[in-house]
Amino acid sequence: MNIRICEDPACADIEVVVRCRQLDDTVLSLLARLRVYDAKLTGERDGATYVLAAADVLYADTADKKTFFYTADAVYETPLRLYELEEQLAARDFVRAGKSVLLNFAHVAALRPDFGGRMRVTMSNGEVVVASRQYVPALKAKLGL
């Protein structure tokens, strides 16, 4: 892969052009990562609303009918339901890991089998999230297994 950067003071916004022989899994993965970089989500913490880059979100989960985003250093509440987040982030590197958990696969550091067909997923910040057995095949498919 060749990467070329051209600085242009007249350019108002960043433009990314991908040239490839054919659109394969590698190119699609690269495009998904670019899209997640540009995606924005809003979350509340301590009475203030924050705009977050989706790429900074490690995972999202629900508890007590509320949905939360987890970043490396904070937790934010969002008014969106988990299925709405899943739809919004479907083209990005997020994958469902349970009825109440959505993972940013770009922040997965390790996967380990657990009892009952479940899987323990260690995130880039060291937190462990348990993937239910129903969603383990999707995680394995994401890994190409």
Side-chain angles (χ1 to χ4, degrees):
M1 173 173 27
N2 297 318
I3 298 175
R4 186 173 35 155
I5 299 173
C6 302
E7 288 187 48
D8 181 1
C11 189
D13 200 2
I14 297 172
E15 178 183 5
V16 177
V17 177
V18 178
R19 288 192 180 105
C20 58
R21 185 175 304 239
Q22 71 181 42
L23 194 62
D24 59 10
D25 289 340
T26 303
V27 176
L28 291 174
S29 176
L30 178 64
L31 292 174
R33 290 179 190 276
L34 286 170
R35 284 188 193 106
V36 77
Y37 173 79
D38 199 33
K40 302 291 184 209
L41 301 169
T42 57
E44 287 186 26
R45 186 182 71 171
D46 300 328
T49 300
Y50 295 86
V51 178
L52 307 167
D56 294 338
V57 174
L58 302 172
Y59 66 96
D61 75 356
T62 58
D64 298 327
K65 297 185 179 182
K66 295 180 182 179
T67 306
F68 300 93
F69 295 134
Y70 295 81
T71 63
D73 56 355
V75 179
Y76 302 87
E77 185 178 346
T78 178
L80 297 174
R81 297 183 140 315
L82 200 62
Y83 76 89
E84 294 171 324
L85 276 176
E86 186 177 21
E87 289 171 2
Q88 188 174 348
L89 300 170
R92 287 145 178 96
D93 220 9
F94 283 76
V95 63
R96 186 67 86 112
K99 286 173 82 173
S100 63
V101 179
L102 188 63
L103 299 176
N104 183 346
F105 207 75
H107 286 284
V108 172
L111 299 164
R112 172 177 286 184
D114 201 13
F115 296 109
R118 296 179 302 180
M119 188 170 286
R120 296 175 66 79
V121 181
T122 304
M123 304 306 291
S124 60
N125 68 345
E127 268 191 75
V128 176
V129 178
V130 178
S132 67
R133 68 178 183 205
Q134 179 183 356
Y135 295 93
V136 168
L139 288 172
K140 287 183 177 180
K142 193 83 168 152
L143 284 171
L145 300 175

